[in-house]
Amino acid sequence: MAVRAERGAGLRRAARGRAGAAALALALFVAAGLLSTWPALRDGGSHFLAYGAAREGRVTPGDHLQTAYALWLPGHQLARGAAPWLDPYSFQPVVSPRVDFAGWPFSVAFGPLEWLLGTVRGWNAFVLLGFVGAGGLTTLWLRALGLPLGAALVGGLAFALAPYRVAQTAGGHLLAPVSMLLPLALYGVERRRTWRAAASLASIPLSGQVHLALGAIPFVLAYALVRGRRAAAWSSAGAAVAAGLLVWAVSLRGNEPERPFAEVERYSAHLGDFLGRTMHEFERFVLLGWLVPLLALAGVLLARRRDLAAVLAAGVAVPVLFALGSTTPLYEPLWRTVPGLGSTRVPERLLPIACLCLAGLAAIAVARLPRGWMVALAGLAVVVDLRAGVELFRPLNADEGNRAYAALREQPPGR
């Protein structure tokens, strides 16, 4: 009885410890979201939090509107008893209803938010929850990797506040929320939850982010093989490839644009862009921070598992090299030969992998600090490094009461 009592007390203490850690992580990443969206957040009750130039008295066009529509649509379709994966409105009546890949999987979260809060507040809540998801899932992965809580939280902050990820969030691109599926896949690999790793990785192409999947599939495969998780490696890669082929067959086959390489040249980053804090071109805003790459370099040198460090270092180097696009002699031959890559025009779209690997390596370095106050100071330094001088969100006008929407509600679907 005494043994059982002691064991029960230990379990209760462990549960309280887990609850406390979860509460700390939640508070930390909510604060990161508030910090990133401030001061635009002051108008978050009536304006979209997004990137763009506000226009007096007019709705500001932007990808946030398109993304909010794609995330709203599945719930709307279910409410009317229709297939949630079909879009019966866009391009009507010229084409047949098309598959809405962009609704997977985050319409599950956005739908209730939009129903409870309305489109504008629902979108803004979704933006803030993106910081919680990115930071929290990165922390879970790093804890599963064996890092202490403090270092894992610093790594979560580094990924949640990564300027490229934040810029894509502000731009309304699904690339930002979909990027949190990367640490979720790695968490599944570490915990030997093959189904979780496979579902997370397959959801990247299923969400329509096929470009990111071109880098995510080999990265997760290499990571899982290095960690000795062969079942997770091949199952995840196979599921993701199958998902990518499904997206290609349903929506891309026969419709793949023949892009001139000049479009890639327009969006290719330069080396200086990786250190620049001023946004001159939205897609070329590829700042990785100044301190975080140094911490990541220290993580490579201090890592006990050299093979793990090598995979994470490659996860930084390859996307960064690809982001340079036409400024290197390597990208154009790859762009013309790698299946699927020739349909892309923004070579930076693999950078979420680099942001995650930088966060992981930085956390490995922070884990070697001998004192808790040093870890806390490192976390504060990471926040200052990634946030200083980077203000991406603007309060953009919304007009949910526009007469055009009322007219649409009075018409049959598709008009």
Side-chain angles (χ1 to χ4, degrees):
M1 290 293 292
V3 171
R4 283 200 297 269
E6 290 176 5
R7 183 179 300 163
L11 289 173
R12 286 193 294 272
R13 284 194 296 271
R16 287 196 296 271
R18 287 194 293 269
L24 174 61
L26 177 63
L28 191 64
F29 298 128
V30 167
L34 298 177
L35 180 64
S36 283
T37 55
W38 192 263
L41 185 62
R42 291 181 297 188
D43 297 311
S46 57
H47 290 65
F48 285 107
L49 298 177
Y51 172 78
R55 303 180 182 185
E56 185 65 30
R58 296 176 57 190
V59 175
T60 306
D63 288 346
H64 61 285
L65 300 177
Q66 180 179 346
T67 299
Y69 168 76
L71 295 175
W72 160 84
L73 185 61
H76 168 75
Q77 286 285 88
L78 283 174
R80 56 193 291 266
W85 56 85
L86 291 181
D87 178 359
Y89 302 112
S90 298
F91 308 112
Q92 296 297 304
V94 178
V95 299
S96 301
R98 63 188 184 92
V99 177
D100 176 33
F101 285 107
W104 176 263
F106 292 104
S107 60
V108 175
F110 182 78
L113 291 173
E114 194 271 342
W115 182 75
L116 288 171
L117 304 174
T119 303
V120 175
R121 291 186 180 91
W123 170 261
N124 294 341
F126 181 74
V127 166
L128 292 174
L129 287 174
F131 290 90
V132 177
L137 291 174
T138 302
T139 301
L140 277 177
W141 161 52
L142 294 172
R143 289 290 284 159
L145 198 56
L147 297 187
L149 177 62
L153 288 172
V154 173
L157 281 172
F159 186 58
L161 293 174
Y164 181 79
R165 208 197 67 81
V166 175
Q168 293 296 311
T169 302
H173 292 177
L174 274 171
L175 182 67
V178 168
S179 68
M180 73 176 71
L181 297 175
L182 282 168
L184 182 59
L186 300 187
Y187 175 71
V189 169
E190 290 297 329
R191 291 301 189 196
R192 298 182 186 274
R193 300 291 189 268
T194 299
W195 65 270
R196 181 176 294 162
S200 302
L201 188 59
S203 291
I204 294 176
L206 273 181
S207 68
Q209 299 301 312
V210 180
H211 192 169
L212 177 60
L214 292 175
I217 294 171
F219 168 67
V220 173
L221 176 63
Y223 179 93
L225 290 175
V226 162
R227 298 298 290 160
R229 313 308 201 251
R230 292 189 176 183
W234 297 113
S235 298
S236 301
V241 169
L245 290 174
L246 174 64
V247 173
W248 173 79
V250 171
S251 65
L252 298 178
R253 183 176 57 179
N255 297 315
E256 295 170 285
E258 296 182 3
R259 299 189 184 279
F261 192 69
E263 293 189 10
V264 177
E265 293 173 341
R266 174 186 174 186
Y267 293 112
S268 296
H270 299 275
L271 281 174
D273 294 329
F274 289 97
L275 297 176
R277 294 183 178 272
T278 302
M279 183 185 294
H280 299 294
E281 167 65 51
F282 177 78
E283 294 290 2
R284 284 172 47 194
F285 184 72
V286 293
L287 173 68
L288 298 176
W290 298 348
L291 173 64
V292 171
L294 294 177
L295 284 175
L297 179 60
V300 172
L301 299 176
L302 295 172
R304 294 185 174 90
R305 286 289 305 269
R306 308 310 303 166
D307 51 357
L308 174 63
V311 168
L312 295 180
V316 176
V318 173
V320 167
L321 186 62
F322 271 50
L324 292 171
S326 64
T327 62
T328 72
L330 302 175
Y331 191 78
E332 184 172 3
L334 292 173
W335 184 84
R336 297 191 183 281
T337 57
V338 174
L341 195 60
S343 299
T344 66
R345 61 176 180 172
V346 184
E348 292 86 354
R349 293 293 167 82
L350 300 183
L351 277 180
I353 302 170
C355 294
L356 181 63
C357 292
L358 283 170
L361 289 169
I364 290 173
V366 171
R368 301 296 291 273
L369 295 175
R371 297 287 186 271
W373 65 267
M374 294 180 179
V375 174
L377 187 61
L380 179 61
V382 165
V383 172
V384 172
D385 175 43
L386 298 180
R387 184 69 181 91
V390 179
E391 187 176 311
L392 298 170
F393 287 91
R394 302 285 187 273
L396 302 185
N397 294 331
D399 189 10
E400 292 184 273
N402 191 295
R403 287 181 300 169
Y405 292 103
L408 281 173
R409 285 191 289 269
E410 297 171 1
Q411 298 293 331
R415 292 294 302 272

